[in-house]
Amino acid sequence: DAILRAPTGQWKDGIFDCFNAGICHASLCCSLVCTSIAMGQAMTRMNLTWLGEAGSWLQAQRAFVVVCTLIFCYFIYSTALRVAEISYTDPDMVPQYIPAMAFVGNLLFSIWALYALCRTRESTRARYQIPDTTKCGACEDFCCSLWCSCCVASQILRHTGEYETHPGVCCTPSGHPAGTPVTV
């Protein structure tokens, strides 16, 4: 595999540069449609686990599949609860445990997604020696992940991928076609 070099010491482009006319591509589309899928692709590129942390090679290779499985299970869970809620003709008759279970599921999925994206961004900054450039201090990765997760996922994908020379693909573990050089 050929290896391409991403810049160290700074991001290839800014967090909101995904909205510039010349940069809009598959990383933004995937990030907007499903931020967690984009995050899974970044994890694969960076050899991270499904929690955005360093792990064994095998754990890193499974990260995208684990992320997709979590998204699928969350979708099934939340859909099943909606169907159960709809089955009651009178909204006042819906048992309180159904919305409570939906709330808990949403909360747990959101906490995982925020934690994993924050750790993935933190790992990316550490690998490429990118300093904190905001006034958030140690909270930069958390704040960016919380307030604009799709922009964070897109920024990581743009930094670790060669979209200038290789097309983006939404439904692959790395976000690029097979055989695309790895960015290190």
Side-chain angles (χ1 to χ4, degrees):
D1 284 335
I3 296 178
L4 303 169
R5 300 280 175 214
T8 56
Q10 66 182 11
W11 288 104
K12 189 186 283 186
D13 49 31
I15 192 167
F16 298 114
D17 284 350
C18 56
F19 297 110
N20 288 346
I23 296 180
C24 186
H25 44 62
S27 72
L28 175 61
C29 294
C30 186
S31 298
L32 285 172
V33 172
C34 189
T35 303
S36 297
I37 293 287
M39 176 181 64
Q41 291 174 334
M43 290 171 172
T44 299
R45 291 180 190 177
M46 297 283 299
N47 288 318
L48 302 173
T49 68
W50 61 280
L51 291 172
E53 300 169 345
S56 71
W57 182 84
L58 187 58
Q59 289 173 319
Q61 294 306 303
R62 291 182 181 163
F64 184 74
V65 173
V66 172
V67 167
C68 289
T69 302
L70 285 170
I71 294 167
F72 179 75
C73 290
Y74 172 70
F75 175 77
I76 295 297
Y77 177 81
S78 59
T79 302
L81 289 173
R82 274 190 239 118
V83 168
E85 202 171 63
I86 291 172
S87 68
Y88 291 90
T89 54
D90 183 4
D92 294 331
M93 297 302 292
V94 175
Q96 290 301 309
Y97 67 84
I98 292 177
M101 288 175 60
F103 174 78
V104 169
N106 289 337
L107 181 65
L108 292 175
F109 185 82
S110 297
I111 289 171
W112 163 75
L114 178 61
Y115 176 81
L117 185 59
C118 182
R119 291 298 307 220
T120 301
R121 189 171 195 273
E122 183 181 291
S123 296
T124 304
R125 285 193 328 107
R127 176 166 302 161
Y128 294 104
Q129 303 164 359
I130 300 170
D132 175 10
T133 57
T134 66
K135 294 186 181 0
C136 294
C139 297
E140 176 184 350
D141 299 318
F142 174 78
C143 291
C144 290
S145 298
L146 177 66
W147 298 116
C148 197
S149 58
C150 64
C151 296
V152 168
S154 181
Q155 182 183 39
I156 295 169
L157 288 177
R158 291 188 319 271
H159 192 81
T160 60
E162 283 292 323
Y163 290 101
E164 299 82 8
T165 54
H166 302 284
V169 181
C170 288
C171 298
T172 64
S174 70
H176 283 301
T180 300
V182 177
T183 304
V184 181

